[in-house]
Amino acid sequence: VSDRLVVVGGDAAGMSAASQARRLAPDLEIVAFERGNHVSYSACGEPYFVAGIVPTLERLVARRPAEFARRGIDVRLRSEVKEIDLDRRTVKVRDAAGGASAEWGFDHLMYATGSAPLRPTSIEGIDDPAILGLRTLDDAAALKQRVDGGRGRAVVVGGGYIGIEVAEALVARHWEVTMVTSGPHVLEKTLDPEIGDAACQAVRAYGVNLMTGALVERVERDGDRFRVAGADFAVEGDLVFIGLGTTPEVELAAAAGIPLGGTGAVAVDNYQRTSIEGVWAGGDCAEVSHRLTGRQVNIMLGTVANKTGRIAGTNIAGGGPTPFPGVLGTAITKIGEAEIARTGLTTIEARAAGYQPVTGLVMGTTTAGYWPGAAPMKVMLVADRASGRLLGGQIVGGAGAGKRIDVIAAAIWNGMTASELAWVDLAYAPPFGGVWDLVLIAARRAADDAG
Amino acid sequence: VSDRLVVVGGDAAGMSAASQARRLAPDLEIVAFERGNHVSYSACGEPYFVAGIVPTLERLVARRPAEFARRGIDVRLRSEVKEIDLDRRTVKVRDAAGGASAEWGFDHLMYATGSAPLRPTSIEGIDDPAILGLRTLDDAAALKQRVDGGRGRAVVVGGGYIGIEVAEALVARHWEVTMVTSGPHVLEKTLDPEIGDAACQAVRAYGVNLMTGALVERVERDGDRFRVAGADFAVEGDLVFIGLGTTPEVELAAAAGIPLGGTGAVAVDNYQRTSIEGVWAGGDCAEVSHRLTGRQVNIMLGTVANKTGRIAGTNIAGGGPTPFPGVLGTAITKIGEAEIARTGLTTIEARAAGYQPVTGLVMGTTTAGYWPGAAPMKVMLVADRASGRLLGGQIVGGAGAGKRIDVIAAAIWNGMTASELAWVDLAYAPPFGGVWDLVLIAARRAADDAG
């Protein structure tokens, strides 16, 4: 291959695609356009920069443009692709400095624009730029600056991963934090109530004033003072952080005529191909197939972005065709010592996908019960009643609890039933759990309820 | 069922069988004979009692005879089965108090005598009862008493799990510890050198003076002073602990005519049946089938004992037939902050089983590299060159490293190839690892070398 690959968006998916394409196709010309000031950074690490745990933003940058340049990947920062012309196979790029537009032809286009924090129009006043969000390193710098600027009361709107992680950071920085979420519990879209309620306890135990079932209708500002209000509540604060999820950045694709899927993200097949020849997509802006349901979903996680980027790179370079084997939506976070993790389908998602779910819910400890520092842990498995097949898992607990989700993910990945999982030869020693790992007991419980 | 089940040996396998049989067969008469002073205790917790981490031995007892009695299981402590008569279907039991022998008939017999520390006759002086080992709670009490009795120099003979855990305990109690092992590295039978060497580093980093390649030929004692010596070395100490592995307790079975297998342990099928009608076995004293090779092995771990006991109980009670799905030999331990874990076959075992192994060895950190407290971690996977199928995994690293072995175990359990494992949707957040979990990277590396 001696064509040109143009990458639109220089974070996980885009740069993974570029790197992998470079490995497999030494002659391919690769140019990556990034409208921001950094490429290849860890957005997931941003809350920990705000918390002061990660000392500099530079630490979150995995690779700099100069490193890519050494590998023959031309990275252009502050260069925004404003238009994609699919007929002429060109992109129009404006650099921040002059605003001049340059045109670049492409043979392959990797669309990897990511996502942006949601600012729902249903909330009056939400467009106030003084309300902070978190996506780019620049966002992180702005939030950190505000947090450093003085302590006070903070209102976190939204109880998702970012909301929880930023709330943790703010508490760590001695802010008084109120979290406001419309759902019955935090992480409402990804956890069932049994684990979601335990997650709420963890959030409260860390010192966050958590308000559930609180639908925000407006954010008012009077100088430096905010007021976040709904029908029957109002919270005042010196800082408002918005963490209501993210939306795929698809405007450019839509304007160009690259088809979107039912989720609103760019439609791709399992090879990361859009329906336009030579145009590929991956990461937050694109759909992926769910391994269990086979349906197209839009799961915006760094793991998925890296994987789909790599797959795109392989296929762009002609190293394939290699299909992406799908996602389970495995995710993990923590607040204080409490770890929260999930994979697969919740009972609600399972029902929506046509299953009749049963669950196995067990409580235990992260280590042998007699081990000092044994922390409570809850494991819940979701299985299909008819077949016993595992559909999902959720965990909350102390140190060591969360990454147990990976065993459940591996089990679901392989189509195991709950009763099969119950006998897998997992590791045991008293500092690491019980002789029957809680995952095995949950599996047995789910198996009892299934079939 | 209204027959009588006699259980010989009241720890993990025996009492798991009794408990499960009771659940499924309320009318079954169940009598369990245990020659020691406790049933249903955590032998794995004993080193942590010696270390002072677990304050009392009572904490290691999961269930007392009175609790079993309430569930209709008659537990007899200090009652040693001296003879099994297969023709008359009776056991002869001697209680410690009077030495009188009583005869009990059985319809079902669960043989679960466990294992005893090895004292190889090749080591002169090894039978000295002043040389301490660890199996029963009484052994743990004796070792603790000696450790409490005064600090000094200790010599740990053997670099297996028990040796490492006792060495850790002794260092924690401010003893000066020398570990002597004949192999090139600790855990020589269960780890390949790449991970075994890292385990040695961890043992040394914790303050143990580790001597590898040192074959002990004799232990001499002069009053309270010991001298542990080989052809070209001698170590003096005030305490000698022997951790040279364990041997299945099969004398009683052999004398009765219950057939042993090629490993020297009691031969059973996948239903825990010996070839004698109504006679079952499980736990350390019995063989189990290896899930990968299908061969009978003798893996003495608490997890296996609990599982095989439960299977035996199910089948004794007529709740089956339920087969035991096999073992991978998954195991974990720690020394200080370093976690060491393994599953499946080492390259040596893989070759012995007829495979041509390739490996994927990677180094990384337990968390994102920029996370404070990121600790080094090494993951090695073993795969079959021809098929790419995963055969084994080994891990050494800081907090959070060890239980990652469970994902590898689940992958091997399901017959995955290395290249399949490389894409499994594992959880990521900066406090828990890299965006590509090190297990995935190791899988990719192994896949590159296979096929």
Side-chain angles (χ1 to χ4, degrees), chain B residues 42-126:
Chain B
S42 168
C44 303
E46 292 169 359
Y48 306 106
F49 169 71
V50 175
I53 292 171
V54 176
T56 66
L57 274 181
E58 291 302 304
R59 300 292 298 276
L60 298 182
V61 177
R63 271 189 208 87
R64 285 165 191 72
E67 294 173 67
F68 284 109
R70 277 196 293 278
R71 293 155 65 196
I73 297 171
D74 182 3
V75 171
R76 310 278 175 121
L77 297 179
R78 292 170 292 279
S79 300
E80 186 168 9
V81 173
K82 300 298 287 181
E83 196 190 319
I84 300 169
D85 187 325
L86 295 175
D87 293 331
R88 298 177 52 231
R89 300 188 82 75
T90 57
V91 296
K92 222 171 252 172
V93 183
R94 192 170 65 181
D95 65 27
S101 276
E103 212 172 56
W104 291 74
F106 64 82
D107 301 285
H108 294 280
L109 182 86
M110 174 68 188
Y111 189 86
T113 49
S115 57
L118 262 177
R119 297 206 175 218
T121 50
S122 61
I123 302 179
E124 196 183 312
I126 197 73

Side-chain angles (χ1 to χ4, degrees), chain B residues 283-367:
Chain B
D284 286 6
C285 65
E287 295 187 331
V288 281
S289 73
H290 196 285
R291 190 165 170 96
L292 267 177
T293 63
R295 295 183 191 179
Q296 294 304 106
V297 290
N298 180 215
I299 291 183
M300 295 181 263
L301 290 170
T303 47
V304 180
N306 273 276
K307 285 178 180 141
T308 54
R310 190 178 170 97
I311 290 284
T314 297
N315 293 327
I316 289 168
T322 299
F324 181 66
V327 296
L328 294 172
T330 313
I332 189 169
T333 190
K334 74 168 200 67
I335 182 159
E337 295 294 304
E339 304 179 356
I340 306 165
R342 58 92 63 212
T343 188
L345 307 177
T346 61
T347 57
I348 293 162
E349 291 173 318
R351 265 184 222 104
Y355 296 101
Q356 262 216 311
V358 293
T359 59
L361 174 68
V362 289
M363 294 165 67
T365 49
T366 49
T367 64

Side-chain angles (χ1 to χ4, degrees), chain B residues 74-439:
Chain B
D74 182 3
V75 171
R76 310 278 175 121
L77 297 179
R78 292 170 292 279
S79 300
E80 186 168 9
V81 173
K82 300 298 287 181
E83 196 190 319
I84 300 169
D85 187 325
L86 295 175
D87 293 331
R88 298 177 52 231
R89 300 188 82 75
T90 57
V91 296
K92 222 171 252 172
V93 183
R94 192 170 65 181
D95 65 27
S101 276
E103 212 172 56
W104 291 74
F106 64 82
D107 301 285
H108 294 280
L109 182 86
M110 174 68 188
Y111 189 86
T113 49
S115 57
L118 262 177
R119 297 206 175 218
T121 50
S122 61
I123 302 179
E124 196 183 312
I126 197 73
D127 283 328
D128 185 342
I131 299 173
L132 299 170
L134 199 51
R135 181 199 175 221
T136 65
L137 291 184
D138 294 335
D139 294 340
L143 179 58
K144 177 78 163 16
Q145 194 174 22
R146 178 65 195 90
V147 170
D148 289 349
R151 293 163 196 173
R153 288 179 298 171
V155 183
V156 172
V157 180
Y161 294 106
I162 291 284
I164 288 173
E165 288 161 10
V166 168
E168 184 192 40
L170 291 167
V171 170
R173 302 295 309 283
H174 307 292
W175 283 68
E176 197 186 312
V177 180
T178 299
M179 176 181 282
V180 184
T181 186
S182 60
H185 54 77
V186 294
L187 298 165
E188 66 164 320
K189 286 179 195 154
T190 62
L191 297 181
D192 279 301
E194 292 85 345
I195 300 295
D197 289 345
C200 287
Q201 283 177 35
V203 168
R204 291 194 169 105
Y206 194 65
V208 174
N209 174 28
L210 173 62
M211 296 170 61
T212 55
L215 181 68
V216 174
E217 294 177 347
R218 61 193 178 280
V219 181
E220 295 157 0
R221 180 159 66 93
D222 180 9
D224 289 345
R225 308 279 303 152
F226 293 87
R227 192 165 171 276
V228 175
D232 54 0
F233 71 92
V235 191
E236 303 206 332
D238 309 293
L239 181 166
V240 175
F241 178 83
I242 183 111
L244 288 172
T246 49
T247 181
E249 293 256 30
V250 295
E251 295 76 7
L252 192 57
I258 299 169
L260 308 183
T263 68
V266 174
V268 291
D269 65 13
N270 285 346
Y271 300 86
Q272 305 308 130
R273 292 184 292 221
T274 69
S275 60
I276 312 292
E277 177 69 27
V279 178
W280 314 72
D284 286 6
C285 65
E287 295 187 331
V288 281
S289 73
H290 196 285
R291 190 165 170 96
L292 267 177
T293 63
R295 295 183 191 179
Q296 294 304 106
V297 290
N298 180 215
I299 291 183
M300 295 181 263
L301 290 170
T303 47
V304 180
N306 273 276
K307 285 178 180 141
T308 54
R310 190 178 170 97
I311 290 284
T314 297
N315 293 327
I316 289 168
T322 299
F324 181 66
V327 296
L328 294 172
T330 313
I332 189 169
T333 190
K334 74 168 200 67
I335 182 159
E337 295 294 304
E339 304 179 356
I340 306 165
R342 58 92 63 212
T343 188
L345 307 177
T346 61
T347 57
I348 293 162
E349 291 173 318
R351 265 184 222 104
Y355 296 101
Q356 262 216 311
V358 293
T359 59
L361 174 68
V362 289
M363 294 165 67
T365 49
T366 49
T367 64
Y370 55 77
W371 189 261
M377 167 165 62
K378 270 189 186 179
V379 177
M380 186 170 119
L381 291 175
V382 180
D384 175 44
R385 183 186 299 276
S387 64
R389 218 178 136 188
L390 288 163
L391 302 174
Q394 298 161 47
I395 299 177
V396 62
K403 277 290 262 179
R404 277 172 158 88
I405 204 71
D406 287 348
V407 181
I408 302 171
I412 297 173
W413 191 269
N414 285 288
M416 292 184 92
T417 63
S419 64
E420 285 169 347
L421 173 57
W423 293 97
V424 174
D425 193 0
L426 303 185
Y428 158 68
F432 301 97
V435 69
W436 291 93
D437 193 281
L438 212 55
V439 168

Side-chain angles (χ1 to χ4, degrees), chain A residues 42 45 48 53 306-307 310 328-330 370-372 403 406-407 413-414 416 423-425 427 435 437 444, chain B residues 42 45 48 53 306-307 310 328-330 370-372 403 406-407 413-414 416 423-425 427-428 435 437 444:
Chain A
S42 168
Y48 306 106
I53 292 171
N306 274 275
K307 284 177 180 141
R310 191 178 169 97
L328 293 172
T330 313
Y370 56 76
W371 188 260
K403 276 292 260 180
D406 287 349
V407 180
W413 192 268
N414 284 288
M416 291 184 94
W423 294 97
V424 174
D425 193 359
V435 67
D437 194 281
R444 194 198 293 160
Chain B
S42 168
Y48 306 106
I53 292 171
N306 273 276
K307 285 178 180 141
R310 190 178 170 97
L328 294 172
T330 313
Y370 55 77
W371 189 261
K403 277 290 262 179
D406 287 348
V407 181
W413 191 269
N414 285 288
M416 292 184 92
W423 293 97
V424 174
D425 193 0
Y428 158 68
V435 69
D437 193 281
R444 192 198 293 159

